[in-house]
């Protein structure tokens, strides 16, 4: 299941949904949050924009790639948009599998591809003003290791 939403998510609820299958032997999760600083500068909030149809298709493709590479039972991907204050949850990736190696790898893969391939645009908001956030080369390097 994939959701792009304004509202926050509950980790317990998301974990429970991933736990429903009796074949589940492993669940790997990742939660991304808004940091209060970046490169030594304070951040009050991030503002995330996206184009819904384009974003949904991109996230579906990322999840499908993961399902093709690993034996997965369930995948849950949530990405928030709008204005998110420092400390707020931005993204949830949850993967269930029969075995931990598949769950760990798929969760990391989805997050790496999400950072580099999903069409979200981020603006950093602070006392110093607003700045669009560019993609990091380190994120590209991490995603390229899966090729």
């Amino acid at each position: 299941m994939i959701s792009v939403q304004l509202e926050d998510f509950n980790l317990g609820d998301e974990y429970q949904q991933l736990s429903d299958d009796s074949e589940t032997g492993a669940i790997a999760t990742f939660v991304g949050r808004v940091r209060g600083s970046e490169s030594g500068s304070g951040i009050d909030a991030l503002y995330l924009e996206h184009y819904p149809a384009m974003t949904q298709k991109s996230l579906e493709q990322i999840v499908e790639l993961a399902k093709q590479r690993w034996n997965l039972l369930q995948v849950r991907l949530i990405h928030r948009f709008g204005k998110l204050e420092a400390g707020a949850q931005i993204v949830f990736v949850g993967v269930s599998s029969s075995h931990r190696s598949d769950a760990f790898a798929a969760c990391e893969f989805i997050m790496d591809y999400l950072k580099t391939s999903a069409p979200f645009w981020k603006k950093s908001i602070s006392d110093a003003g607003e700045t669009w956030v560019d993609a990091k080369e380190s994120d590209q390097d991490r995603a390229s290791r899966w090729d």
Side-chain angles (χ1 to χ4, degrees):
M1 189 153 119
I2 298 169
S3 298
V4 180
Q5 60 193 46
L6 283 168
E7 60 276 353
D8 201 1
F9 50 87
N10 180 290
L11 294 174
D13 292 346
E14 299 309 325
Y15 178 84
Q16 189 60 46
Q17 286 184 15
L18 291 166
S19 302
D20 288 344
D21 192 324
S22 65
E23 294 300 311
T24 298
I27 297 172
T29 63
F30 173 84
V31 176
R33 296 172 30 128
V34 177
R35 287 185 300 272
S37 66
E38 180 70 35
S39 303
S41 298
I43 295 174
D44 297 325
L46 284 180
Y47 182 78
L48 287 85
E49 291 185 2
H50 75 109
Y51 294 116
M54 182 189 299
T55 303
Q56 187 71 25
K57 183 175 181 178
S58 176
L59 299 182
E60 288 170 358
Q61 289 172 339
I62 292 168
V63 168
E64 186 56 35
L65 283 172
K67 288 179 175 178
Q68 290 171 9
R69 291 180 81 144
W70 294 281
N71 183 19
L72 306 178
L73 299 171
Q74 293 188 62
V75 176
R76 180 76 170 121
L77 173 55
I78 302 171
H79 204 298
R80 296 181 64 204
F81 66 95
K83 185 177 180 182
L84 302 172
E85 304 293 329
Q89 299 178 130
I90 301 174
V91 63
F92 174 84
V93 177
V95 177
S96 66
S97 180
S98 296
H99 303 284
R100 71 174 183 256
S101 59
D102 287 344
F104 278 134
C107 188
E108 191 170 14
F109 170 88
I110 291 168
M111 194 60 223
D112 286 346
Y113 266 62
L114 184 65
K115 291 281 288 183
T116 58
S117 301
F120 287 97
W121 295 271
K122 297 178 186 178
K123 187 188 309 182
S124 173
I125 303 168
S126 69
D127 290 340
E130 298 181 357
T131 307
W132 288 103
V133 178
D134 292 326
K136 295 179 184 175
E137 189 174 323
S138 60
D139 291 333
Q140 293 292 340
D141 291 343
R142 286 190 60 80
S144 69
R145 69 193 170 115
W146 299 104
D147 294 337

